[in-house]
Short mmCIF file of all heavy atoms in Angstrom, two decimals:
data_model
loop_
_atom_site.label_atom_id
_atom_site.label_comp_id
_atom_site.label_asym_id
_atom_site.label_seq_id
_atom_site.Cartn_x
_atom_site.Cartn_y
_atom_site.Cartn_z
N PRO O 38 174.08 115.85 135.47
CA PRO O 38 175.05 116.47 134.48
C PRO O 38 175.82 115.44 133.58
O PRO O 38 176.03 115.76 132.46
CB PRO O 38 176.02 117.19 135.47
CG PRO O 38 175.23 117.42 136.72
CD PRO O 38 174.32 116.33 136.75
N ALA O 435 170.25 119.88 146.50
CA ALA O 435 170.52 121.21 147.02
C ALA O 435 169.42 121.82 147.98
O ALA O 435 169.76 122.49 148.97
CB ALA O 435 170.81 122.10 145.84
N PHE A 111 172.38 122.42 136.41
CA PHE A 111 172.18 121.46 137.49
C PHE A 111 172.86 122.04 138.80
O PHE A 111 173.87 122.49 138.70
CB PHE A 111 172.73 120.05 137.19
CG PHE A 111 172.57 119.02 138.23
CD1 PHE A 111 171.37 118.29 138.11
CD2 PHE A 111 173.38 118.93 139.29
CE1 PHE A 111 171.13 117.38 139.16
CE2 PHE A 111 173.17 117.95 140.21
CZ PHE A 111 172.04 117.18 140.21
N PRO A 112 172.18 121.90 139.85
CA PRO A 112 170.79 121.58 140.03
C PRO A 112 169.90 122.78 139.85
O PRO A 112 170.45 123.94 139.72
CB PRO A 112 170.75 121.13 141.53
CG PRO A 112 171.80 121.91 142.16
CD PRO A 112 172.84 122.08 141.14
N ILE A 116 170.37 127.12 143.25
CA ILE A 116 171.04 127.85 142.16
C ILE A 116 171.88 126.82 141.31
O ILE A 116 172.49 125.92 141.84
CB ILE A 116 172.08 128.88 142.83
CG1 ILE A 116 172.72 129.60 141.71
CG2 ILE A 116 173.12 128.29 143.74
CD1 ILE A 116 173.50 130.83 142.22
N LYS A 118 174.60 125.38 138.58
CA LYS A 118 176.12 125.64 138.44
C LYS A 118 176.26 126.75 137.36
O LYS A 118 177.20 127.57 137.46
CB LYS A 118 176.74 124.38 137.86
CG LYS A 118 176.79 123.29 138.99
CD LYS A 118 177.70 122.14 138.46
CE LYS A 118 177.13 121.44 137.30
NZ LYS A 118 178.08 120.22 136.66
N TYR A 200 183.69 118.50 132.62
CA TYR A 200 183.34 117.15 132.33
C TYR A 200 183.79 116.61 130.90
O TYR A 200 183.83 115.43 130.68
CB TYR A 200 181.84 116.94 132.57
CG TYR A 200 181.34 116.81 134.00
CD1 TYR A 200 180.13 117.25 134.35
CD2 TYR A 200 182.25 116.33 134.94
CE1 TYR A 200 179.62 117.13 135.63
CE2 TYR A 200 181.86 116.33 136.36
CZ TYR A 200 180.55 116.88 136.49
OH TYR A 200 180.08 116.68 138.01
N ILE A 225 183.44 124.32 138.79
CA ILE A 225 182.13 124.62 139.49
C ILE A 225 181.42 123.32 139.56
O ILE A 225 181.08 122.72 138.54
CB ILE A 225 181.34 125.61 138.74
CG1 ILE A 225 182.10 126.89 138.40
CG2 ILE A 225 180.09 125.92 139.65
CD1 ILE A 225 182.48 127.70 139.58
N LEU A 226 181.09 122.78 140.78
CA LEU A 226 180.24 121.57 140.93
C LEU A 226 179.26 121.89 142.12
O LEU A 226 179.53 122.76 142.93
CB LEU A 226 181.21 120.45 141.40
CG LEU A 226 182.25 119.84 140.24
CD1 LEU A 226 183.03 118.63 140.99
CD2 LEU A 226 181.47 119.39 139.08
N SER A 227 178.32 121.14 142.01
CA SER A 227 177.23 121.27 143.02
C SER A 227 177.54 120.08 144.09
O SER A 227 178.15 119.11 143.86
CB SER A 227 175.88 120.94 142.59
OG SER A 227 175.72 119.68 141.93
N ARG A 228 176.96 120.26 145.32
CA ARG A 228 177.24 119.25 146.28
C ARG A 228 176.76 117.93 145.90
O ARG A 228 177.40 116.84 146.22
CB ARG A 228 176.55 119.82 147.64
CG ARG A 228 176.79 119.02 148.89
CD ARG A 228 178.21 119.03 149.29
NE ARG A 228 178.68 120.31 149.68
CZ ARG A 228 179.86 120.81 150.01
NH1 ARG A 228 180.93 119.91 149.95
NH2 ARG A 228 180.13 121.93 150.39
N PRO A 229 175.51 117.81 145.38
CA PRO A 229 174.96 116.46 145.05
C PRO A 229 175.91 115.69 144.00
O PRO A 229 175.97 114.50 144.09
CB PRO A 229 173.57 116.72 144.35
CG PRO A 229 173.23 118.00 144.89
CD PRO A 229 174.42 118.78 145.07
N GLU A 230 176.64 116.39 143.18
CA GLU A 230 177.41 115.76 142.25
C GLU A 230 178.67 115.08 142.98
O GLU A 230 179.21 114.20 142.48
CB GLU A 230 177.97 116.77 141.14
CG GLU A 230 176.97 117.23 140.19
CD GLU A 230 177.62 118.30 139.28
OE1 GLU A 230 177.46 119.53 139.73
OE2 GLU A 230 178.07 117.97 138.14
N ILE A 231 179.02 115.77 144.08
CA ILE A 231 180.19 115.29 144.84
C ILE A 231 179.76 114.04 145.75
O ILE A 231 180.49 113.19 145.82
CB ILE A 231 180.84 116.40 145.50
CG1 ILE A 231 181.37 117.50 144.49
CG2 ILE A 231 182.08 115.94 146.40
CD1 ILE A 231 181.86 118.67 145.19
N GLU A 232 178.73 114.40 146.47
CA GLU A 232 178.41 113.48 147.57
C GLU A 232 177.37 112.40 147.10
O GLU A 232 177.20 111.44 147.74
CB GLU A 232 177.90 114.24 148.76
CG GLU A 232 178.82 115.18 149.34
CD GLU A 232 178.40 115.97 150.58
OE1 GLU A 232 177.19 115.84 150.75
OE2 GLU A 232 179.23 116.66 151.13
N ILE A 286 185.12 124.98 143.19
CA ILE A 286 184.12 125.69 143.92
C ILE A 286 182.85 124.97 143.86
O ILE A 286 182.43 124.52 142.88
CB ILE A 286 183.86 127.06 143.20
CG1 ILE A 286 185.21 127.86 143.09
CG2 ILE A 286 182.82 127.93 143.93
CD1 ILE A 286 185.11 129.20 142.28
N VAL A 287 182.24 124.76 145.22
CA VAL A 287 180.99 124.12 145.33
C VAL A 287 179.89 125.09 145.33
O VAL A 287 180.13 126.25 146.06
CB VAL A 287 180.96 123.13 146.54
CG1 VAL A 287 179.61 122.46 146.61
CG2 VAL A 287 182.13 122.28 146.43
N THR A 288 178.77 124.90 144.74
CA THR A 288 177.87 125.97 144.60
C THR A 288 177.14 126.35 145.86
O THR A 288 176.25 127.41 145.91
CB THR A 288 176.77 125.55 143.54
OG1 THR A 288 176.15 124.35 143.84
CG2 THR A 288 177.19 125.40 142.13
N ASP A 289 177.38 125.62 146.89
CA ASP A 289 176.69 126.10 148.18
C ASP A 289 177.75 127.05 148.96
O ASP A 289 177.44 127.51 150.02
CB ASP A 289 176.32 124.92 149.09
CG ASP A 289 177.44 124.01 149.39
OD1 ASP A 289 178.66 124.23 148.89
OD2 ASP A 289 177.21 123.00 149.99
#
Side-chain angles (χ1 to χ4, degrees):
Chain A
F111 180 88
I116 182 171
K118 292 190 294 180
Y200 284 152
I225 311 289
L226 292 180
S227 64
R228 186 69 65 188
E230 286 174 278
I231 299 172
E232 298 181 353
I286 302 176
V287 183
T288 56
D289 56 5

